[in-house]
Amino acid sequence: MRNRKRVGWHKYVNGVTISTLVTVLFILIPLYWLVVSSFNAPNDLDNARLFPSTLSGANYSNAFVAYDFGIYFRNSIIVTIATTAIVLVLGTLAGYALGRLPMRGKFTTMVTLLIISVFPAVAVLAPLYLLLREIGWLNSYQALILVYTAFNLPFAIWILRNYMIGIPKEMEETGRIDGASALRTVWSIVLPQALPGLFTAGIFCFTACWTEFLFALTFNSSNNFRTIPVGIAEFGGNFQVPYGTIFAASVVAVVPIGVLVFIFRKFVISGLTSGAVKG
């Protein structure tokens, strides 16, 4: 009986379980402290408790009223949604072509996309700034949308291409026999099967655009076009750092990503595992 209990205990407590628990605690504890601190009164941050006795929304109202956080939130929504939509459309077409159609240079194309996806952004920051200045796109939405699309599209193509490889070709052949065109076949047959890959690519793209800082700081100096990361970095002044307001704005910024991941978590896991196995 002792050996049996020992084996059963070790079945659940192992290196993987301990590593997972440590990782979860490492993420959840700071996140919990961030949320709790955001609901403290602005003058009570030094007396933050694990379970606060009173809750205050002053930090949230201060973020939206005194620091124009609503403008930053709007700008991030516009840029992120537009970029994600463009990346998914172009990534789907490119991923379908690379994964399903016979064509030359597939290996070279995939290697090039991989190099672009890991290319450091700081290396092209100055040339992109000069280019956007010449065409008059500084302090605009289209500047960030164009750059974000260029940097996120290669990764999306990789995910979608790997996922589409695993879709049975017989399904497409059935659609063609029924007289469906190529675009109709992709829309009605391939895309429903590739939904997990689409959600995975979309959430990764959304998160990358939502949290990007370097390009947003460089290309948009006007307060009317700043996104959330840059806007939060501009909170305060030379002699004051409104930590409570920063905490509140950070909580609001985390909510959209958390909601997306929670709702589409099954699709994301399915898309990642399919890409890993079939790529």
Side-chain angles (χ1 to χ4, degrees), residues 125-136:
L125 186 63
L128 286 175
Y129 178 86
L130 296 176
L131 175 63
L132 294 174
R133 187 182 65 179
E134 288 297 323
I135 62 178

Side-chain angles (χ1 to χ4, degrees), residues 142-171:
Q142 58 266 28
L144 292 182
I145 292 172
L146 176 65
V147 175
Y148 289 173
T149 300
F151 272 85
N152 288 281
L153 185 58
F155 184 69
I157 293 175
W158 263 92
I159 293 178
L160 294 170
R161 177 256 180 189
N162 290 342
Y163 197 87
M164 288 184 178
I165 288 177
I167 300 176
K169 294 184 178 181
E170 291 77 8
M171 301 182 66

Side-chain angles (χ1 to χ4, degrees), residues 8 13 25 29 50 90 92-93 95 99-100 106 112 119 121-122 128 162-163 165 177 183 193 209 217 221 236 243 249:
V13 181
L25 292 177
I29 291 176
L50 187 62
L90 298 180
T92 300
L93 297 176
R100 312 290 293 183
K106 283 187 178 182
T112 303
F119 200 79
V122 68
L128 286 175
N162 290 342
Y163 197 87
I165 288 177
I177 292 174
L183 290 178
Q193 300 295 322
C209 297
L217 176 65
S221 59
Y243 289 107

Side-chain angles (χ1 to χ4, degrees), residues 45-127:
L45 289 177
D46 295 335
N47 300 323
R49 300 176 181 177
L50 187 62
F51 301 101
S53 56
T54 59
L55 299 179
S56 172
N59 292 322
Y60 288 89
S61 61
N62 195 35
F64 282 93
V65 175
Y67 291 97
D68 297 327
F69 183 74
I71 297 177
Y72 309 144
F73 192 89
R74 179 202 64 191
N75 296 336
S76 291
I77 286 289
I78 294 174
V79 171
T80 302
I81 291 180
T83 303
T84 304
I86 296 173
V87 167
L88 289 181
V89 172
L90 298 180
T92 300
L93 297 176
Y96 177 81
L98 290 171
R100 312 290 293 183
L101 301 180
M103 59 183 296
R104 295 182 179 180
K106 283 187 178 182
F107 178 78
T108 303
T109 302
M110 296 304 296
V111 171
T112 303
L113 291 174
L114 181 62
I115 294 174
I116 295 175
S117 64
V118 299
F119 200 79
V122 68
V124 296
L125 186 63

Side-chain angles (χ1 to χ4, degrees), residues 169-181 185 189:
K169 294 184 178 181
E170 291 77 8
M171 301 182 66
E172 290 183 76
E173 294 175 356
T174 302
R176 292 170 184 168
I177 292 174
D178 293 337
S181 62
T185 302
I189 298 177

